[in-house]
């Protein structure tokens, strides 16, 4: 048996190399936000021309809520998809990414114009088919679903296609990325806020379409935005307390699962609270406002443990 040479250079122990997250996902999110702001400016000018300055207050309130929600969804969706794609295929980025960024921004603007045009035609067709006042809730539900489909076609699908078609210009990287808890907690909290805005907007549309008879003149959207900010703050600090300081990998699929688990727990508790609230109002006969505020505070408090459970069951963080 030969003895090892004591004068041979010492071989480094094999270890899993960790690297910083690539810059491309943030660049794509910035491009989509800039292109979205261009779309907002064009829509603002066209809307003010059609509505007029004197009657633009209600329209601006509805439009502002839509723009903020869409920009938040677009930026988060672009970052999430790009980060998950690069991690899945072991890529650091793309050589000379200017062409990719410009193509994505231009495609987003063109598809936004086309989808907006189709959306207007679809709204008129649904109006002629089902009636505007008789089944207004059905019209709102259909347009909400079409909005989600349009978001996938305008934001997610073009990005995936561009990343896939330009794979020959990608730079392969070795090792997993090292992600901070702050970044993951921000993504988790923003995803919950986006989901809340979508569900609250849908509930408001359906409620108005069922003959509720309220007239908030667009202020309900501002209320939903304020509540979404509180939801994001609670979810962020809950996620930050549950995650280790540094983690191995972004793991976008697992993080999406954690968001879905948290939403399922939260929606289930909200349904139970709603049933209890209706029962107390019917048989108690008083204190409706107090009960509504109490159940709202309870739902907000439950978001903390539900966020921690969702991350524990769905994400299963791997500390560095």
């Amino acid at each position: 048996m030969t003895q090892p040479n004591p004068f041979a250079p010492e071989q480094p122990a094999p270890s899993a190399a960790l690297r910083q997250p690539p810059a491309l996902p943030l660049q794509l999110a910035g491009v989509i936000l800039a292109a979205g702001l261009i779309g907002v400016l064009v829509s603002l000018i066209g809307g003010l021309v059609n509505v007029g300055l004197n009657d633009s207050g209600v329209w601006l309130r509805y439009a502002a809520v839509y723009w903020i929600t869409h920009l938040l969804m677009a930026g988060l969706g672009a970052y999430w998809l790009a980060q998950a794609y690069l991690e899945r295929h072991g890529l650091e980025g793309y050589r000379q990414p200017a062409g990719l960024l410009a193509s994505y921004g231009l495609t987003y603007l063109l598809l936004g114009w086309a989808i907006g045009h189709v959306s207007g035609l679809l709204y008129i067709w649904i109006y002629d088919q089902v009636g505007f006042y008789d089944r207004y809730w059905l019209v709102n539900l259909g347009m909400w679903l079409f909005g989600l489909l349009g978001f996938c076609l305008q934001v997610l699908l073009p990005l995936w296609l561009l990343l896939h078609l330009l794979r020959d210009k990608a730079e392969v990287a070795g090792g997993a990325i090292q992600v901070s808890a702050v970044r993951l907690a921000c993504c988790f909290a923003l995803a919950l806020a986006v989901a809340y805005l979508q569900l609250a907007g849908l509930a408001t549309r359906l409620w108005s379409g069922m003959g509720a008879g309220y007239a908030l003149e667009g202020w309900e959207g501002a209320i939903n935005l304020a509540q979404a900010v509180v939801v994001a703050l609670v979810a962020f600090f809950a996620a930050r307390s549950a995650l280790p300081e540094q983690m191995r990998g972004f793991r976008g699929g697992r993080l999406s699962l954690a968001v879905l688990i948290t939403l399922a727990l939260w929606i289930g508790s909200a349904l139970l609270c709603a049933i209890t609230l209706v029962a107390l109002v019917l048989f108690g006969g008083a204190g409706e406002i107090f009960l509504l505020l109490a159940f709202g505070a309870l739902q907000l408090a439950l978001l903390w443990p539900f966020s921690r459970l969702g991350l524990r069951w769905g994400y299963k963080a791997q500390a560095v």
Side-chain angles (χ1 to χ4, degrees):
M1 180 181 295
T2 59
Q3 298 294 329
N5 184 5
F7 301 102
E10 183 177 338
Q11 296 296 328
S15 61
L18 293 177
R19 54 189 174 88
Q20 293 301 314
L24 183 61
L26 283 177
Q27 294 171 350
L28 287 167
V31 166
I32 209 68
L33 289 176
L37 288 176
I38 294 175
V40 168
L41 182 61
V42 173
S43 300
L44 178 63
I45 295 174
L48 291 178
V49 170
N50 292 328
V51 177
L53 292 176
N54 296 329
D55 302 325
S56 62
V58 176
W59 177 81
L60 278 176
R61 284 192 287 273
Y62 280 112
V65 173
Y66 171 78
W67 290 332
I68 293 173
T69 304
H70 180 76
L71 288 176
L72 183 59
M73 286 181 61
L76 182 63
Y79 175 83
W80 201 304
L81 177 60
Q83 185 67 73
Y85 185 90
L86 294 179
E87 184 178 48
R88 178 179 178 85
H89 296 282
L91 305 178
E92 176 64 28
Y94 284 70
R95 293 184 295 274
Q96 300 178 351
L100 171 63
L101 299 175
S103 299
Y104 185 43
L106 182 60
T107 303
Y108 171 84
L109 290 174
L110 293 177
L111 286 176
W113 174 82
I115 292 173
H117 183 68
V118 173
S119 177
L121 296 178
L122 180 63
Y123 191 85
I124 295 174
W125 181 81
I126 295 177
Y127 173 85
D128 294 335
Q129 296 296 318
V130 303
F132 188 76
Y133 295 103
D134 296 336
R135 298 180 181 178
Y136 188 50
W137 67 270
L138 186 59
V139 176
N140 283 330
L141 178 60
M143 296 307 298
W144 181 79
L145 293 174
F146 183 78
L148 292 182
L149 177 61
F151 168 77
C152 294
L153 295 177
Q154 183 184 6
V155 177
L156 301 182
L157 182 61
L159 177 56
W160 181 85
L161 287 175
L162 287 172
L163 291 174
H164 185 72
L165 293 175
L166 298 177
R167 277 278 298 276
D168 57 334
K169 299 181 179 180
E171 298 176 345
V172 180
I177 62 173
Q178 180 175 323
V179 185
S180 66
V182 173
R183 181 172 297 201
L184 277 176
C186 283
C187 292
F188 178 80
L190 289 176
L192 282 177
V194 166
Y196 177 82
L197 285 172
Q198 286 294 326
L199 294 175
L202 175 62
T204 303
R205 285 185 172 194
L206 295 181
W207 185 254
S208 65
M210 292 178 182
Y214 72 93
L216 294 179
E217 296 184 346
W219 291 112
E220 64 271 26
I223 295 173
N224 291 338
L225 278 177
Q227 292 171 340
V229 171
V230 178
V231 167
L233 289 175
V234 173
F236 171 80
F237 287 109
R240 182 64 185 83
S241 66
L243 295 172
E245 188 68 27
Q246 298 290 333
M247 279 150 294
R248 183 185 300 273
F250 179 74
R251 303 166 69 208
R254 279 287 185 177
L255 193 59
S256 301
L257 179 60
V259 173
L260 292 177
I261 292 175
T262 304
L263 278 176
L265 293 172
W266 203 34
I267 292 174
S269 66
L271 291 176
L272 290 177
C273 285
I275 294 172
T276 306
L277 177 63
V278 171
L280 290 176
V281 169
L282 291 178
F283 296 102
E288 293 87 351
I289 301 299
F290 172 77
L291 289 174
L292 188 61
L293 293 175
F295 281 118
L298 176 61
Q299 280 300 113
L300 196 59
L302 288 175
L303 182 59
W304 182 283
F306 288 163
S307 297
R308 293 177 62 90
L309 286 175
L311 288 167
R312 182 185 304 171
W313 295 343
Y315 188 67
K316 298 179 181 178
Q318 299 176 355
V320 173

